[in-house]
Amino acid sequence: GAVVSQHPSWVICKSGTSVKIECRSLDFQATTMFWYRQFPKQSLMLMATSNEGSKATYEQGVEKDKFLINHASLTLSTLTVTSAHPEDSSFYICSARERQGAILAKNIQYFGAGTRLSVL
Amino acid sequence: DAKTTQPTSMDCAEGRAANLPCNHSTISGNEYVYWYRQIHSQGPQYIIHGLKNNETNEMASLIITEDRKSSTLILPHATLRDTAVYYCIVRWGSSNTGKLIFGQGTTLQVKP
């Protein structure tokens, strides 16, 4: 399957600082990328969907000014957690959809390995 | 997107087939069934997906009932490395957004 690379895998930061997480599709072009968040012992929660060259669409309850998403190219999307606080500590996972044809269902969504954010 | 129901947890003996059920009684004609799994502290891994025909790949088989209201993921010879949370997700095949929304999944424990 296609490879999605996420960096860093683990980050520790002080409260009030900003953290940027990168998500790259290594061997395919991803017109759409997704960002999820997962708290311990819970399922993945979709935060936002980003399409290359346009503004991200955020899920209800997700603050767009706090979680800045940039999808500047077909292989790179970034998530910036601004003014991070301890409650933002979580496992952040990106996903990219490989476009194999006109039928959306054949375009499989692949996931990165995740970034564990700890805010002190 | 249609909602799915999966058992919370299952056990399977190593070397045996693991059969993971999923109910999606409100599935519509344009919705596909996807299976992913998440091994502890990793990102989800794509396994297989289908519309109405049974599907098989190198990882697993997907059996979808004729009325499409339920499906079963089959891992033919489970190993300890198959211990993970397995997610059954239903998604539109014709939507421009086509978001994958994760439920609670089934925690499969493969035992020696």
Side-chain angles (χ1 to χ4, degrees):
Chain A
V3 178
V4 175
S5 174
Q6 193 171 336
H7 178 81
S9 57
W10 199 345
V11 58
I12 301 173
C13 70
K14 292 182 179 180
S15 185
T17 61
S18 295
V19 174
K20 180 183 284 188
I21 302 170
E22 288 190 352
C23 179
R24 294 180 184 272
S25 56
L26 295 187
D27 48 2
F28 66 98
Q29 293 185 331
T31 52
T32 306
M33 287 186 170
F34 306 84
W35 287 94
Y36 292 80
R37 180 167 57 181
Q38 185 175 33
F39 291 108
K41 297 187 178 181
Q42 293 186 23
S43 187
L44 285 79
M45 184 191 77
L46 179 65
M47 299 175 67
T49 302
S50 73
N51 290 294
E52 185 264 338
S54 62
K55 290 184 178 180
T57 302
Y58 291 81
E59 295 298 307
Q60 191 172 9
V62 178
E63 301 174 60
K64 61 180 181 181
D65 294 331
K66 181 167 186 62
F67 299 100
L68 302 180
I69 292 172
N70 185 283
H71 191 166
S73 78
L74 287 173
T75 60
L76 173 65
S77 176
T78 60
L79 168 68
T80 301
V81 183
T82 63
S83 186
H85 291 284
E87 57 265 30
D88 298 322
S89 297
S90 187
F91 190 50
Y92 292 87
I93 309 168
C94 74
S95 179
R97 185 160 64 211
E98 177 185 28
R99 191 165 187 84
Q100 292 181 330
I103 301 175
L104 182 65
K106 291 187 176 179
N107 303 331
I108 297 169
Q109 197 168 319
Y110 295 99
F111 288 79
T115 298
R116 191 160 302 281
L117 171 64
S118 295
V119 184
L120 304 178
Chain B
D1 293 327
K3 191 173 180 178
T4 62
T5 305
Q6 298 178 252
T8 302
S9 63
M10 292 181 65
D11 288 343
C12 176
E14 188 178 19
R16 298 282 192 150
N19 297 294
L20 292 90
C22 179
N23 285 322
H24 30 80
S25 59
T26 60
I27 193 170
S28 66
N30 288 331
E31 291 180 314
Y32 285 66
V33 180
Y34 288 80
W35 283 85
Y36 283 78
R37 72 180 183 184
Q38 185 179 26
I39 295 170
H40 184 62
S41 296
Q42 297 182 24
Q45 177 188 23
Y46 166 79
I47 302 174
I48 198 167
H49 76 285
L51 181 62
K52 51 185 176 181
N53 296 322
N54 296 338
E55 302 287 345
T56 295
N57 62 20
E58 64 278 6
M59 288 184 68
S61 293
L62 174 60
I63 308 298
I64 303 175
T65 58
E66 194 170 340
D67 63 7
R68 302 212 317 123
K69 292 185 177 182
S70 65
S71 61
T72 301
L73 178 73
I74 301 173
L75 307 179
H77 305 287
T79 71
L80 297 179
R81 287 176 294 183
D82 292 321
T83 292
V85 179
Y86 287 77
Y87 296 98
C88 169
I89 304 168
V90 170
R91 192 188 83 178
W92 277 91
S94 57
S95 166
N96 286 331
T97 55
K99 301 179 286 189
L100 286 178
I101 305 299
F102 286 77
Q104 294 307 308
T106 296
T107 298
L108 175 68
Q109 182 73 46
V110 180
K111 298 185 174 182

